Amino acid sequence: MYDGKRAGKGTHRFFHADMDERLRARSMLETELRDAIARGDVTPYFQPVISLADQRIVGFEALARWHHPTRGTIPPDEFIPIAEDLGLIDALTHRILRQGCIAARDWHGDTSLSINISPVQLKDTWLAARLLAILQETGFPPQRLIVEVTENAIIEDIEQVAVVFASLQNVGIRIALDDFGKGYSSLSHLRQLKFDHLKIDSSFVRSMDTAESCKIVSAVAGLGKALGMPVTAEGVESEEVADALRALGCEQAQGFLFGRPAPAIEAAHMLDGGDTRTAAVKRNAS
């Protein structure tokens, strides 16, 4: 039944032994994830976001990482949906934000912290109050926090999402539209919802050797400039792509070229200019 549901409407599946094995594995993973979140074993790793104009770090995105004691690193796209299904996504997000804020308090200047918000959480009218409580608890300025949401998270109830967005922005929290171009990419969403940032989906960035993707990236960069929103390109892995993005007017970039997601202590090291993996990244002179 669940296999059929995942495959979409109007489909059917016959039972076979593999289904039972997957169900048992899923059940075990659910139990282990509950325990891992409760123990604090799911922790934030930080990936730098840089300014293409001067190669300085302007912020970090906090990404949930789960290091399983026997299975090693569990991919986020495997455990995040489980957390959503189990109703654990709030607890997970709040823990990641709290730890991220504590780490980011010591970052210099106005270095921002970005965190992803689940579609489920956008239905919570008290979301802004919950996030603000964590910011007050940790002493992290709301103006330095960026909440990232994907477009599929906002299409169900635009009016409700607009209320949540307004609540967040009223306290100074900025909002970024993540993976722009990957899903619906309706310009009406940009008109109805007051985003502060746009993030171009990595699939377009990685295929910029094709004329079509290059034109799309150029168009999004121009759109962001026209609307007064900084545009961040995700998935940058080569100097050639970084140069092309700079030429197209893209302001910010994120990807393995500038640094892989790393623990808080390594993120601080990057800001101090001591990480040789991110030699292209310079500390903000201020």
Side-chain angles (χ1 to χ4, degrees), residues 34-216:
R34 284 184 187 276
D35 294 341
I37 293 175
R39 290 194 306 265
D41 291 345
V42 183
T43 59
Y45 270 43
F46 303 89
Q47 186 171 36
V49 179
I50 68 108
S51 165
L52 284 169
D54 53 14
Q55 303 254 80
R56 67 185 176 91
I57 293 177
V58 295
F60 286 88
E61 180 178 358
L63 301 163
R65 291 292 182 267
W66 179 18
H67 297 290
H68 191 279
T70 58
R71 295 180 54 184
T73 301
I74 307 291
D77 58 2
E78 185 174 342
F79 71 82
I80 294 295
I82 295 177
E84 291 177 337
D85 291 345
L86 296 178
L88 298 173
I89 194 64
D90 273 340
L92 174 59
T93 300
H94 294 166
R95 184 176 288 276
I96 294 298
L97 176 59
R98 184 174 288 104
Q99 293 182 24
C101 288
I102 292 171
R105 284 182 309 197
D106 298 328
W107 295 345
H108 62 75
D110 57 354
T111 307
S112 65
L113 173 69
S114 301
I115 188 167
N116 295 281
I117 293 296
S118 161
V120 176
Q121 293 173 286
L122 284 179
K123 298 177 182 178
D124 180 8
T125 55
W126 292 96
L127 176 64
R130 299 184 203 283
L131 299 187
L132 186 59
I134 295 174
L135 297 179
Q136 292 174 337
E137 172 194 333
T138 58
F140 190 75
Q143 294 76 15
R144 289 174 56 192
L145 180 64
I146 300 175
V147 165
E148 298 190 7
V149 299
T150 56
E151 198 152 11
N152 67 341
I154 64 178
I155 60 172
E156 288 187 12
D157 191 342
I158 294 291
E159 293 183 1
Q160 169 64 29
V161 171
V163 171
V164 174
F165 278 16
S167 299
L168 292 169
Q169 291 169 323
N170 284 341
V171 298
I173 297 172
R174 288 172 283 169
I175 301 172
L177 180 56
D178 197 12
D179 296 339
F180 186 74
K182 183 178 181 180
Y184 301 91
S185 301
S186 170
L187 295 181
S188 67
H189 294 158
L190 296 181
R191 179 175 57 82
Q192 291 175 268
L193 303 170
K194 300 181 184 299
F195 289 98
D196 300 291
H197 295 261
L198 280 180
K199 299 190 76 173
I200 305 174
D201 184 64
S202 59
S203 62
F204 295 109
V205 176
R206 292 193 180 104
S207 60
M208 280 185 64
D209 54 337
T210 66
E212 185 180 68
S213 288
C214 196
K215 289 177 181 177
I216 290 173

Side-chain angles (χ1 to χ4, degrees), residues 20-46:
D20 186 56
E21 292 177 9
R22 288 201 301 270
L23 185 60
R24 291 176 183 274
R26 159 84 182 215
S27 179
M28 180 177 293
L29 197 61
E30 288 178 355
T31 300
E32 292 175 333
L33 180 59
R34 284 184 187 276
D35 294 341
I37 293 175
R39 290 194 306 265
D41 291 345
V42 183
T43 59
Y45 270 43
F46 303 89

